[in-house]
Amino acid sequence: LRKILLLSTLVFRGDYQIAASHGMTDQDVPKLVKKNSFVWRHDIFCVQCKKAYLYTSRAQYKEKYKFRNQVCAACIEAERRDINEKNKSLISEMRRNAQEESVELANRDLTSKIYLLSTIKALADKKNTTIEPLRSHPACTLSPDPDYDKRILNHLINKHILLFSFDTRLEVIENYANDHFSVDIDACEFEITYDHKEISDLIHILLNNETISNLKHLKEFIDICKDIQLSESLAFLKNSLEAHQLPLVAGITIRLVLCKCLEDFSVAQVYNFIYQGVKDSAAYYMRSSIEKRQAANSAIRYITRNMEKALAYKLHVKPFHRIYSLPQSSLSHLIFDIMLDSKDGGFERPLHELLDFS
């Protein structure tokens, strides 16, 4: 014991000369000390449990002051376990509340039915029982826009159609004061509250010719079609602005302008208006002493001008093709290809044509 105490004192002082007198190499001394001794300071301790930090090597001791006013590893681990238990309880409570308020799938609103089938097609595992994390799939898998993706998932969660899976990583839940919390929807796994038979029955009823014929006149269905086309147009606008290193144009004005375009033109043709409008905005920025934000906002004016000119002179507007980074989404495929029986019709044709003649 005396030998170890002596060696420990010398090691923490940085003196290894005594090693040879005890038949040891310089490398053996630190190993012996680390295994059998430690030192501490009364003024450096964990701010939570108040226990002093223990140093088992000279290297640790030299950096002792970095541990001042810190939380020790044991307390951090205990806090992590507490948070995980709390998050497990939150998931259990959300699942319990959802199961208590269950509604037959046949009695759900049209939006919920369409969103569910699109989500299953886009994100379900091979057994169609688990909805995989949105983050693990490429962009445009579910809908044309990331915000639209979250809107769909939140709708299904709030309607208690999707349940948070116990396999969801607990780190996706962020706890705040007063029992408030937020959930990173992109990273969550979900379970579907309905079985295969109920979903199969829904597909059979929703996709028969009589049902679809009636749907074309429903405002709820038409609004979903418009949302898809608007989201696809906004996504291309964002892509075009980024290509010219211009900031995103946000706000209600650009949405109203694109909605006006989509009343008479297809998304493929609106792509043309956007491409030319953003190109003109970039040229405006290059020849004028203006900020990029102002140049980007001018795209609204150019897009409007292109649309009005096409309408006034009855010009043929050349349709664009989809670009690689913005493929057709599951939601668009369900609505336009399957329900309206038009191959990517929501992109290639104006909505009024699809609803009148499909």
Side-chain angles (χ1 to χ4, degrees):
L1 180 59
R2 289 180 180 178
K3 178 180 177 180
I4 292 174
L5 287 174
L6 176 60
L7 290 172
S8 299
T9 303
L10 293 172
V11 165
F12 283 101
R13 288 179 180 174
D15 184 359
Y16 292 84
Q17 294 181 356
I18 196 172
S21 64
H22 288 273
M24 302 173 65
T25 66
D26 288 350
Q27 292 74 28
D28 292 332
V29 175
K31 295 178 183 178
L32 178 66
V33 171
K34 184 175 183 178
K35 182 178 179 181
N36 295 281
S37 64
F38 54 81
V39 297
W40 71 92
R41 289 177 59 103
H42 293 292
D43 59 337
I44 302 179
F45 50 83
C46 171
V47 295
Q48 284 193 4
C49 66
K50 308 303 181 186
K51 291 182 178 179
Y53 284 97
L54 306 180
Y55 310 105
T56 59
S57 70
R58 176 170 171 75
Q60 288 182 348
Y61 189 73
K62 287 174 67 176
E63 298 181 344
K64 56 186 175 295
Y65 292 112
K66 79 175 185 180
F67 295 98
R68 180 166 282 167
N69 299 321
Q70 299 295 313
V71 179
C72 69
C75 287
I76 291 174
E77 176 60 22
E79 185 176 5
R80 187 191 66 81
R81 287 197 301 268
D82 290 343
I83 291 173
N84 284 348
E85 288 302 317
K86 185 174 183 179
N87 290 349
K88 285 180 183 178
S89 298
L90 284 172
I91 290 176
S92 296
E93 184 179 355
M94 288 187 286
R95 288 173 63 92
R96 186 166 54 252
N97 292 338
Q99 290 166 338
E100 289 175 355
E101 301 177 19
S102 61
V103 177
E104 288 187 13
L105 185 54
N107 297 329
R108 292 287 185 179
D109 60 281
L110 176 63
T111 300
S112 296
K113 294 174 181 177
I114 291 174
Y115 282 178
L116 174 61
L117 293 182
S118 299
T119 302
I120 291 173
K121 181 179 183 300
L123 307 178
D125 63 0
K126 293 180 180 180
K127 296 180 179 179
N128 283 342
T129 56
T130 299
I131 301 300
E132 298 172 342
L134 182 65
R135 188 175 294 171
S136 64
H137 293 265
C140 298
T141 299
L142 176 54
S143 81
D145 178 73
D147 290 335
Y148 202 169
D149 290 341
K150 293 177 183 177
R151 200 169 93 204
I152 291 172
L153 292 180
N154 277 315
H155 177 95
L156 296 175
I157 293 167
N158 293 335
K159 293 286 187 178
H160 305 310
I161 297 172
L162 293 184
L163 302 177
F164 286 96
S165 170
F166 285 121
D167 292 330
T168 292
R169 292 187 301 106
L170 299 175
E171 295 83 359
V172 305
I173 303 177
E174 186 74 25
N175 290 277
Y176 303 106
N178 301 321
D179 291 330
H180 292 162
F181 65 93
S182 64
V183 181
D184 184 0
I185 297 296
D186 290 15
C188 291
E189 285 189 20
F190 301 96
E191 294 172 13
I192 305 167
T193 56
Y194 299 103
D195 59 31
H196 289 290
K197 184 180 184 307
E198 291 172 298
I199 294 171
S200 179
D201 289 344
L202 169 63
I203 293 172
H204 177 73
I205 294 171
L206 190 62
L207 300 186
N208 71 55
N209 292 333
E210 183 179 354
T211 302
I212 292 173
S213 179
N214 293 329
L215 288 179
K216 295 178 187 177
H217 307 287
L218 290 180
K219 182 179 182 300
E220 186 178 4
F221 180 76
I222 296 171
D223 285 345
I224 296 175
C225 295
K226 289 180 178 179
D227 279 347
I228 296 170
Q229 292 190 322
L230 176 59
S231 294
E232 290 186 336
S233 301
L234 286 168
F236 184 70
L237 173 62
K238 179 182 178 182
N239 184 283
S240 301
L241 288 168
E242 288 177 349
H244 289 280
Q245 298 182 342
L246 293 174
L248 177 64
V249 177
I252 189 64
T253 304
I254 186 60
R255 299 177 73 89
L256 291 174
V257 167
L258 292 177
C259 285
K260 183 65 177 174
C261 292
L262 290 166
E263 289 179 6
D264 298 287
F265 299 96
S266 67
V267 175
Q269 291 172 310
V270 174
Y271 268 30
N272 190 321
F273 295 150
I274 293 171
Y275 175 82
Q276 296 297 335
V278 173
K279 184 179 177 182
D280 290 342
S281 297
Y284 176 41
Y285 172 74
M286 294 298 293
R287 68 174 181 266
S288 307
S289 299
I290 59 172
E291 294 183 355
K292 286 189 174 183
R293 173 65 60 183
Q294 183 179 347
N297 286 331
S298 71
I300 300 174
R301 182 173 72 253
Y302 291 122
I303 292 169
T304 304
R305 185 186 66 183
N306 294 338
M307 173 196 65
E308 291 175 345
K309 183 179 178 180
L311 288 172
Y313 294 98
K314 295 182 172 55
L315 300 176
H316 170 70
V317 180
K318 181 181 179 180
F320 276 36
H321 296 294
R322 285 192 181 274
I323 60 175
Y324 177 79
S325 58
L326 297 174
Q328 186 181 22
S329 66
S330 170
L331 180 61
S332 171
H333 184 266
L334 174 64
I335 292 288
F336 297 113
D337 290 50
I338 298 178
M339 299 183 74
L340 293 180
D341 193 25
S342 62
K343 183 173 176 56
D344 206 4
F347 183 79
E348 303 286 350
R349 296 166 61 186
L351 182 59
H352 65 82
E353 286 187 10
L354 291 170
L355 297 180
D356 287 343
F357 306 119
S358 62

